[in-house]
Amino acid sequence: MSLPTLLSQHIVRRPQRIALLQHIADQGSITRAAKSAGLSYKAAWDAIDELNNLAQKPLVERSVGGKGGGGARLSSEGERVLRLYQKLQALQAQVLEAAEEASDLDLLGRLMLRTSARNQLHGKVKAIEAQGRNDLIRLELAEGLILDAQITHNSTLRLALEPGSEVVALIKAGWLDVLPIETPATPGHNDLTGIIEEILDAEDGPSEVRITLPNGHTLCALAEPLDLRTRGLSVNRAVRVQFAASNVLLGTQL
């Protein structure tokens, strides 16, 4: 089975995040792996969430632990990706030697896409439904999870979208509404269920809520601490995550 295209691009342009997999394999703990890699605990989990969301299957499997983080290990898919990364390291010197001048590498870097959206989910176009000047793009994520995006028809043409096209769905954390599991679904909105894995409080401003979906992907949402308490939302609670289809941005490879 080949790697998803978007994960392959990520390995090339952000190898330092893939290198974190080696630290996890060596340390067996996110806390120790983050320290070994020179990252904060939060930065390490951000990297893991992004990798898991871009892969077809989670690369890192976690276990419940005490204060400071639990244990973690690579899945069989994670071990496979790490082997590929090690091969990439062996080829890196040859690639650098092949560059005609240093500016070549800077040019390649500028051509790679980076986004401020915290949530980046890999999927394939399942169906396209015309809605006036807009199109409703139905995406199938890993394990059959469904997500809808609403974009203009011109955007559909510009991205050359058709059933089977690989895309990445971009969703800003502030666009997600985290609700009790018993909350009715809002018509016309995406409605996903998951488990709150972690709540990271900030000194001032909203808390960061990490939610694990049934397919192993992780969503990051922002919520005011008072709203979380009022709704009775805490770690290990089942929740609904709702957001408008118009708040899902789509990207494709060049």
Side-chain angles (χ1 to χ4, degrees):
M1 181 185 298
S2 61
L3 290 179
T5 302
L6 293 166
L7 179 59
S8 302
Q9 293 176 343
H10 192 92
I11 291 175
V12 172
R13 75 176 188 264
R14 305 191 75 179
Q16 69 278 13
R17 287 203 163 185
I18 307 296
L20 178 61
L21 298 180
Q22 182 65 65
H23 292 284
I24 293 171
D26 293 339
Q27 302 294 336
S29 159
I30 296 300
T31 302
R32 293 194 297 272
K35 183 177 181 180
S36 178
L39 299 173
S40 68
Y41 177 75
K42 179 180 180 299
W45 270 120
D46 285 346
I48 291 167
D49 288 343
E50 185 172 359
L51 292 172
N52 280 347
N53 288 349
L54 288 175
Q56 295 286 6
K57 301 176 182 178
L59 307 183
V60 178
E61 297 174 345
R62 65 201 74 184
S63 60
V64 178
K67 185 176 181 181
R73 66 182 183 88
L74 299 186
S75 65
S76 58
E77 184 74 353
E79 291 174 348
R80 189 173 74 88
V81 170
L82 180 56
R83 289 195 298 270
L84 291 175
Y85 169 69
Q86 291 167 341
K87 292 179 181 178
L88 178 65
Q89 284 185 308
L91 293 172
Q92 188 177 40
Q94 297 178 37
V95 173
L96 293 177
E97 290 175 1
E100 295 180 4
E101 50 186 87
S103 60
D104 290 347
L105 299 179
D106 293 334
L107 173 60
L108 289 177
R110 291 195 299 272
L111 295 178
M112 297 299 182
L113 171 68
R114 282 194 178 184
T115 171
S116 63
R118 290 297 308 276
N119 300 296
Q120 303 179 39
L121 305 175
H122 172 265
K124 289 186 177 182
V125 175
K126 185 177 179 68
I128 300 175
E129 177 186 336
Q131 295 184 335
R133 295 181 179 273
N134 297 323
D135 287 336
L136 186 69
I137 312 297
R138 177 145 293 180
L139 307 178
E140 183 173 7
L141 309 180
E143 304 297 328
L145 202 64
I146 299 298
L147 189 70
D148 287 338
Q150 185 187 63
I151 62 176
T152 66
H153 182 64
N154 285 340
S155 294
T156 301
L157 297 177
R158 180 167 52 83
L159 295 174
L161 297 182
E162 59 184 21
S165 296
E166 290 196 14
V167 299
V168 60
L170 309 172
I171 316 163
K172 297 186 69 172
W175 293 344
L176 304 181
D177 198 7
V178 184
L179 303 165
I181 192 67
E182 62 271 14
T183 304
T186 302
H189 279 54
N190 286 291
D191 179 51
L192 304 176
T193 60
I195 303 293
I196 295 180
E197 172 193 312
E198 190 173 20
I199 298 176
L200 302 175
D201 294 325
E203 292 184 2
D204 54 348
S207 299
E208 185 175 298
V209 184
R210 296 177 184 271
I211 301 155
T212 302
L213 301 179
N215 65 355
H217 285 177
T218 301
L219 287 178
C220 177
L222 297 178
E224 294 295 336
L226 179 59
D227 287 342
L228 293 174
R229 291 194 295 271
T230 301
R231 294 171 175 175
L233 302 180
S234 57
V235 174
N236 295 325
R237 287 291 303 272
V239 293
R240 303 186 90 101
V241 183
Q242 296 188 8
F243 49 98
S246 57
N247 282 342
V248 180
L249 307 178
L250 298 182
T252 61
Q253 66 184 77
L254 295 175

